Amino acid sequence: MNIFVDFYQNLGLALTILVIATFAIAGTVKGVIGLGLPTVAMGLLGLAMAPAQAAALLIIPATLTNLWQLAFGGHLRALVKRLWPMLLAIFLGSGIGTSWIGMAGGHWVVRGLGAALLLYALSGLWLPPLRVSHRHEAWLGPLCGAITGIITAATGVFVIPAVPYLQALGLRRDELVQALGLAFTVSTLALAAGLLWRGALGGGELSASLLALIPALLGMWLGQWLRLRISAVLFKRVFFIGLGALGAHLLISG
């Protein structure tokens, strides 16, 4: 409990409020469209703290919400059988990225985070629906997984290119939601392992991350309520525009 209190005392009141508000917003986004919690959290927290510190805060909220997402759907065994080369490549790519690049801070890491957010936003806004032939999955899946892992290790964002790739597989909606949860869970665990190896994930960070779970879950509940009352297409477009603006700001300002 003491390390939990000490962590937020060290952050200060303003940053503590930012953490709570960020995870509430990120949880709301995930509740509406089924993804975006780590992406939004890294983007907003990256405005005020080092990427490694921001990534440590999202470990527990991201892990538990992703486990909840992959637990429902009834396709877990089939998806693991189909996607395991990609999932293994995410873990290996994250390990390579952690030892080679890492998330040690500095302007270039913040700019890398901004570039990843901007690229994801542009792909969501302008990229036409893609389709991946089954015969290409054997090599394209591991390639996308390895690139995703390296980007995860460097920026804490694990949506590029994993999300566009999974969307291009032609999965049914419930399969896609569960596949995203599976990929995000592996990416989060790989990120946690990298942070732990670099000494950026200790008891204080995990305790602080546990608090962030509360606004994240409340946000998810609000997002699921909103999903029944607003256009998901409109919300997704606004989300990508806002995310692109945030990414451009981080990319320019560093």
Side-chain angles (χ1 to χ4, degrees):
M1 184 66 180
N2 288 336
I3 57 177
F4 166 81
V5 174
D6 290 344
F7 186 91
Y8 279 102
Q9 284 180 338
N10 292 334
L11 277 186
L13 179 61
L15 278 181
T16 299
I17 294 174
L18 174 64
V19 169
I20 294 172
T22 292
F23 280 98
I25 294 170
T28 301
V29 171
K30 186 175 181 67
V32 174
I33 64 176
L35 53 88
L37 188 150
T39 310
V40 173
M42 287 298 299
L44 292 177
L45 294 179
L47 295 171
M49 62 178 63
Q53 189 176 35
L57 287 174
L58 69 82
I59 293 300
I60 290 180
T63 300
L64 293 184
T65 55
N66 289 328
L67 285 173
W68 172 84
Q69 183 173 334
L70 73 85
F72 299 96
H75 307 287
L76 183 58
R77 180 175 297 181
L79 288 172
V80 170
K81 183 178 180 179
R82 181 175 182 179
L83 300 176
W84 73 263
M86 174 192 173
L87 301 175
L88 178 60
I90 288 175
F91 218 97
L92 295 177
S94 181
I96 294 171
T98 298
S99 59
W100 175 37
I101 304 173
M103 200 185 298
H107 295 301
W108 74 270
V109 175
V110 177
R111 288 194 170 97
L113 172 60
L117 295 178
L118 182 58
L119 180 62
Y120 178 47
L122 292 176
S123 69
L125 284 171
W126 304 113
L127 197 65
L130 301 176
R131 284 293 178 266
V132 173
S133 172
H134 186 72
R135 66 178 183 274
H136 296 312
E137 289 185 37
W139 64 270
L140 190 56
L143 177 61
C144 290
I147 296 173
T148 299
I150 292 172
I151 294 176
T152 296
T155 68
V157 174
F158 36 78
V159 292
I160 293 292
V163 170
Y165 171 77
L166 291 174
Q167 290 173 331
L169 293 181
L171 300 172
R172 296 193 301 272
R173 178 176 176 80
D174 55 341
E175 290 178 317
L176 177 59
V177 169
Q178 199 168 18
L180 289 171
L182 183 60
F184 292 162
T185 299
V186 172
S187 297
T188 304
L189 294 177
L191 176 62
L195 292 171
L196 186 63
W197 184 74
R198 283 191 168 269
L201 186 63
E205 288 80 9
L206 286 175
S207 297
S209 182
L210 186 60
L211 174 65
L213 177 65
I214 299 173
L217 291 177
L218 290 175
M220 280 192 67
W221 174 82
L222 175 61
Q224 290 170 340
W225 180 82
L226 286 173
R227 185 168 57 191
L228 302 176
R229 290 162 176 81
I230 64 174
S231 167
V233 174
L234 175 61
F235 185 90
K236 186 176 290 188
R237 181 167 293 274
V238 173
F239 162 69
F240 281 128
I241 291 173
L243 198 65
L246 178 61
H249 173 74
L250 291 173
L251 180 61
I252 294 170
S253 68

